[in-house]
Amino acid sequence: SRFKQDERVSRIRALKAYHAPFSVLDRQTVNRPIEELVDEVHKDPSKASDLLLTYGKVALKAHEKTNCVTEVLIKDAEKWIKEGSVNLKGSLAGIPVSLKDTIDVKGYDSSVGMTINVHKPKVEDGPMVRLLKDIGAVPYVKTNIPITLLSFESANDIWGRSTNPYNSKYTPGGSTGGEGALLALGGRIGIGSDVAGSVRCPAHFSGIYSLKCSTG
């Protein structure tokens, strides 16, 4: 667990530009409708990098406050934008999307909060990530969960405990709790999973919207 936390610290440290203060442009970006942001990327694909910078800053600030981020994908996200791995003509072109820790991304662990799953990076993107890239979304961070997902909080031995975005003495809920904290603090779209309340509970605890899609 210490290795994973040290790895996270070094990845965050390496993101020099993302530690800069929030600019006027950043503030405008987080308040604009997604449709407008997508339209701008359709007209000028270089805008996707600007969106990643803004939401990368949001994620690092949210993480500092709540310990909500697990895997940091931002350096790879920069490459995906430059190399054309994401479809910048798609319906979510350039929009950074955060992912529950269990969602598979090539080159990264999906730990489920269990040490047995550490040092086992996925050999390919899972279906959700392939779908997101196909419509132009940019996965940029993964977020914290409880061990085995069976809890209405988000704490485990690998990543530590996430806290509520409004009060550090409280929980952000679970099992998609890291997502709830990040979205409440300025993230835009996050992907979770829900069998028995795993997106509904964090949404309630953090005062955000969630959608629980039906099977199929």
Side-chain angles (χ1 to χ4, degrees), residues 101-112:
D101 189 72
T102 47
I103 293 169
D104 291 347
V105 180
K106 182 180 178 181
Y108 294 88
D109 293 334
S110 293
S111 70
V112 203

Side-chain angles (χ1 to χ4, degrees), residues 6-21:
D6 288 348
E7 180 184 67
R8 175 174 60 181
V9 167
S10 66
R11 283 179 180 163
I12 288 172
R13 261 196 208 127
L15 298 169
K16 303 286 190 217
Y18 297 82
H19 294 282

Side-chain angles (χ1 to χ4, degrees), residues 39 50 53 57 76 88 105 115 121 123 139 141 156 168-169 181 187 189 214:
D39 193 45
D50 296 339
L53 179 59
K57 288 181 184 179
D76 277 331
L88 295 181
V105 180
T115 52
V123 295
V141 290
N156 59 76
S168 62
K169 294 188 174 78
I189 298 176
S214 57

Side-chain angles (χ1 to χ4, degrees), residues 76-93:
D76 277 331
E78 291 175 346
K79 286 184 202 155
W80 297 332
I81 290 169
K82 287 194 179 84
E83 293 166 359
S85 303
V86 294
N87 172 23
L88 295 181
K89 296 189 185 310
S91 54
L92 278 182

Side-chain angles (χ1 to χ4, degrees), residues 13-180:
R13 261 196 208 127
L15 298 169
K16 303 286 190 217
Y18 297 82
H19 294 282
F22 239 48
S23 67
V24 173
L25 179 62
D26 292 326
R27 293 190 192 287
Q28 289 171 346
T29 297
V30 297
N31 288 316
R32 289 178 63 197
I34 282 183
E35 293 89 339
E36 286 183 15
L37 300 178
V38 169
D39 193 45
E40 276 197 354
V41 173
H42 286 164
K43 289 173 182 161
D44 179 2
S46 71
K47 296 286 187 190
S49 297
D50 296 339
L51 296 182
L52 180 61
L53 179 59
T54 294
Y55 284 101
K57 288 181 184 179
V58 168
L60 296 194
K61 287 182 194 312
H63 176 67
E64 196 176 328
K65 186 172 184 181
T66 64
N67 188 45
C68 59
V69 170
T70 57
E71 301 284 358
V72 181
L73 319 177
I74 293 173
K75 281 292 180 194
D76 277 331
E78 291 175 346
K79 286 184 202 155
W80 297 332
I81 290 169
K82 287 194 179 84
E83 293 166 359
S85 303
V86 294
N87 172 23
L88 295 181
K89 296 189 185 310
S91 54
L92 278 182
I95 302 298
V97 173
S98 47
L99 309 169
K100 188 174 187 172
D101 189 72
T102 47
I103 293 169
D104 291 347
V105 180
K106 182 180 178 181
Y108 294 88
D109 293 334
S110 293
S111 70
V112 203
M114 299 169 70
T115 52
I116 195 172
N117 295 323
V118 168
H119 296 308
K120 294 179 181 172
K122 298 299 173 182
V123 295
E124 62 181 8
D125 288 335
M128 176 58 73
V129 171
R130 292 201 303 273
L131 174 68
L132 287 168
K133 288 180 176 178
D134 282 349
I135 59 173
V138 182
Y140 71 121
V141 290
K142 295 177 79 175
T143 54
N144 208 18
I145 38 86
I147 186 167
T148 72
L149 308 183
L150 293 171
S151 176
F152 287 139
E153 61 170 355
S154 290
N156 59 76
D157 291 341
I158 300 170
W159 301 110
R161 181 178 301 280
S162 295
T163 57
N164 188 278
Y166 308 110
N167 187 330
S168 62
K169 294 188 174 78
Y170 289 81
T171 178
S175 62
T176 318
E179 279 300 319

Side-chain angles (χ1 to χ4, degrees), residues 165-206:
Y166 308 110
N167 187 330
S168 62
K169 294 188 174 78
Y170 289 81
T171 178
S175 62
T176 318
E179 279 300 319
L182 173 53
L183 295 178
L185 291 171
R188 210 57 183 269
I189 298 176
I191 306 293
S193 59
D194 185 313
V195 173
S198 286
V199 297
R200 289 166 287 171
C201 169
H204 173 61
F205 283 16
S206 293

